[in-house]
Amino acid sequence: MTPEASVTTWRLVLLNCFIVSVAGGCAAQKRFEFVEPKMGTTFHMVVYATSQQNADRAAQSAWARVDELNTILSDYNPNSELSRLSQMTNDGPMAVPVHVSDDLYRVIERSLEASLRSDGAFDITVGPFVRLWRRSRQQNELPTTQRIEEARKSYGYQFIRLDPKRQTVQLLAPHMRLDVGGIAKGYTSEEAIKVMRLYNIDSALVGAAGDIATSDPPPGKAGWQIRLESLGGEKEPPIYVLLKGHYAISTSGDTERFVVINGIRYSHIVNPKTGLGLTDRIGVSVIAPNATTTDWASTAISVMGPEKGLAMIEKIPHAAARITMLVDGSIKVWESSRFHEFVVQAANLKMEDGR
C-alpha cells in the first residue's frame, strides 16, 4: 500500500503523520514527488503537474527557497541572519535597533503573536535554555540551577521590540539568543507552496518532519488524507483526517527525541518556565489554515497541557487540535470542538481508495 504523496512515515516524536494513498486523478495531471535533507530534517514535496519538466523546475525553485530561508532562520549556523541579529544585540538595554529581512521580521512578528496567545508557552527567546539543554542531552546530566538562572537573565519575549515602519528588531535583554525552531519549518513549508504556484502548480504538499502544508487537493479528490497514530502506537487504532486544501497539520511530542537522566525521561521540547525538557508524555496534532500556526501551536500546547492548550486553540479561527497523553499508564485523549470536522472514518477511506 503506497502512501498518498508517498510520504515516508514522519515521526515527529509522539505522533506519526503520513499521507494515505489516493488512487486515480486527472489524466492531465501527473503526480511527482521529491525528497531532500534540509534544515536538519527531511523535506518531502508532492506536486501534481502536467509534465516532469514543470514539476522539476518547480521543485528546484522550491528547494532554493528552503535553502534561502535556512540561511536566514537557522540558529545552528553562526552566519545566519538570525544568529547575526543576536550577536549584534548583546548589549541588552543599550542594543541598537537592527534592520532585518522581510522573512525574519515576519517570523519574529508571528512568534510574538504566538507568545501572547500562549501566555509565553511558545517563546523564541528560549535560545539560552535550548543551548543548555542540548549540552545536557549530550552529556546526560541536568544543567545546574546556577546555569539555568543565568540563562533566565537573557530570556523573555517581552524584551523584543519591533518597529514595523523601519522593519527593525531590538533585543533588550543582555545576550539574548533567538531560536525559531518551533515555527521556522512551518513557515518554510508555506513559502515552498507559494513557489509552486508560480509554476501553475495548484495541487501540492510540502512536509518538513511533522509539519505539513498543502494547496489544492489532488485532482479528483476531496482533500489530502492524513493518518495520525495514537501515542499508544500499534495498540491503538489510527485516526484519519482530511485536509480539504490550503490547510496544514503539525505534530509534536517526544517519541524519538528524548533523553533519560537520573531515571526521568525528558523531551527535546524545552519548557520556557523551567528551562528543562518536558517530562509529560504528550503528543499534539494541530490543524489550521497555515503551517506557521500549526507549527508553533503544537509546540505551545505540548508545554501548556491539554486544558489550557485546548482553550487556546478554540480561540484561533478555523483551528483544531487532538492531544494524547500517557496518564497512569493509560492513553487519555482530548479533542477540540472543531477536530471532528476533519475526521474521516477508515471504512470510508477504504471505499474511496479501493482498498
Side-chain angles (χ1 to χ4, degrees):
M1 181 171 64
T2 304
E4 164 58 11
S6 290
V7 198
T8 53
T9 304
W10 286 314
R11 294 184 179 274
L12 181 61
V13 287
L14 295 180
L15 294 176
N16 298 334
C17 180
F18 65 90
I19 309 305
V20 189
S21 75
V22 177
C26 178
Q29 296 281 325
K30 296 181 180 179
R31 176 180 164 280
F32 303 90
E33 63 176 298
F34 306 88
V35 180
E36 290 283 346
K38 302 285 184 184
M39 290 182 139
T41 188
T42 300
F43 269 73
H44 192 111
M45 295 182 187
V46 177
V47 302
Y48 284 83
T50 56
S51 68
Q52 179 78 58
Q53 182 182 22
N54 193 39
D56 289 344
R57 290 174 59 200
Q60 289 172 6
S61 293
W63 291 137
R65 179 65 170 136
V66 173
D67 290 338
E68 176 188 28
L69 288 171
N70 191 48
T71 65
I72 294 171
L73 302 174
S74 172
D75 70 298
Y76 283 93
N77 180 0
N79 296 316
S80 71
E81 185 181 7
L82 181 76
S83 296
R84 287 186 282 110
L85 170 64
S86 297
Q87 295 160 10
M88 294 170 66
T89 54
N90 272 339
D91 295 333
M94 302 300 293
V96 298
V98 177
H99 183 271
V100 298
S101 66
D102 291 347
D103 288 307
L104 184 54
Y105 190 90
R106 280 196 292 266
V107 168
I108 294 177
E109 186 176 47
R110 292 290 300 275
S111 297
L112 293 184
E113 293 171 1
S115 295
L116 291 172
R117 281 189 176 274
S118 66
D119 193 26
F122 181 84
D123 191 335
I124 60 172
T125 70
V126 75
F129 290 140
V130 171
R131 289 190 174 192
L132 279 181
W133 193 239
R134 286 173 183 166
R135 178 180 180 274
S136 295
R137 291 170 62 196
Q138 292 171 354
Q139 300 188 359
N140 202 46
E141 64 178 17
L142 295 178
T144 64
T145 301
Q146 181 180 357
R147 284 180 176 271
I148 291 176
E149 291 309 310
E150 189 66 27
R152 197 175 300 280
K153 297 176 182 178
S154 304
Y155 158 78
Y157 69 91
Q158 303 91 336
F159 297 107
I160 299 179
R161 180 176 297 170
L162 301 183
D163 184 336
K165 292 183 179 180
R166 296 180 175 83
Q167 198 168 298
T168 60
V169 180
Q170 194 173 8
L171 306 183
L172 298 175
H175 305 289
M176 293 183 79
R177 291 294 180 268
L178 304 185
D179 184 334
V180 298
I183 195 171
K185 292 181 179 65
Y187 178 82
T188 300
S189 296
E190 282 184 48
E191 291 298 303
I193 287 286
K194 291 179 182 179
V195 171
M196 299 291 183
R197 295 195 187 104
L198 300 178
Y199 291 84
N200 297 318
I201 291 177
D202 297 321
S203 299
L205 175 148
V206 177
D211 303 305
I212 301 174
T214 70
S215 54
D216 290 349
K221 295 299 175 182
W224 298 91
Q225 298 169 0
I226 312 290
R227 189 178 84 175
L228 304 178
E229 291 189 359
S230 168
L231 187 62
E234 296 180 356
K235 297 179 181 179
E236 300 289 333
I239 300 294
Y240 295 88
V241 299
L242 188 71
L243 304 184
K244 295 183 179 180
H246 302 277
Y247 262 80
I249 186 168
S250 293
T251 62
S252 290
D254 73 343
T255 296
E256 293 183 347
R257 298 174 63 189
F258 65 91
V259 64
V260 177
I261 302 176
N262 299 329
I264 299 176
R265 178 185 174 121
Y266 293 90
S267 168
H268 73 287
I269 301 174
V270 174
N271 184 341
K273 307 298 183 184
T274 66
L276 301 176
L278 300 178
T279 55
D280 290 332
R281 295 296 309 280
I282 187 170
V284 180
S285 186
V286 174
I287 299 172
N290 65 81
T292 303
T293 296
T294 60
D295 195 359
W296 73 255
S298 62
T299 301
I301 294 175
S302 297
V303 174
M304 300 171 78
E307 288 80 10
K308 291 182 178 179
L310 288 185
M312 178 192 72
I313 213 71
E314 296 288 3
K315 297 177 182 178
I316 299 176
H318 311 295
R322 185 175 194 267
I323 304 166
T324 58
M325 194 169 181
L326 187 63
V327 180
D328 297 328
S330 299
I331 303 299
K332 190 172 181 180
V333 178
W334 293 260
E335 293 177 353
S336 69
S337 62
R338 287 182 291 268
F339 184 77
H340 74 279
E341 299 173 10
F342 298 91
V343 176
V344 182
Q345 297 298 320
N348 293 339
L349 289 178
K350 290 179 181 179
M351 290 172 59
E352 177 182 324
D353 298 340
R355 299 196 307 274

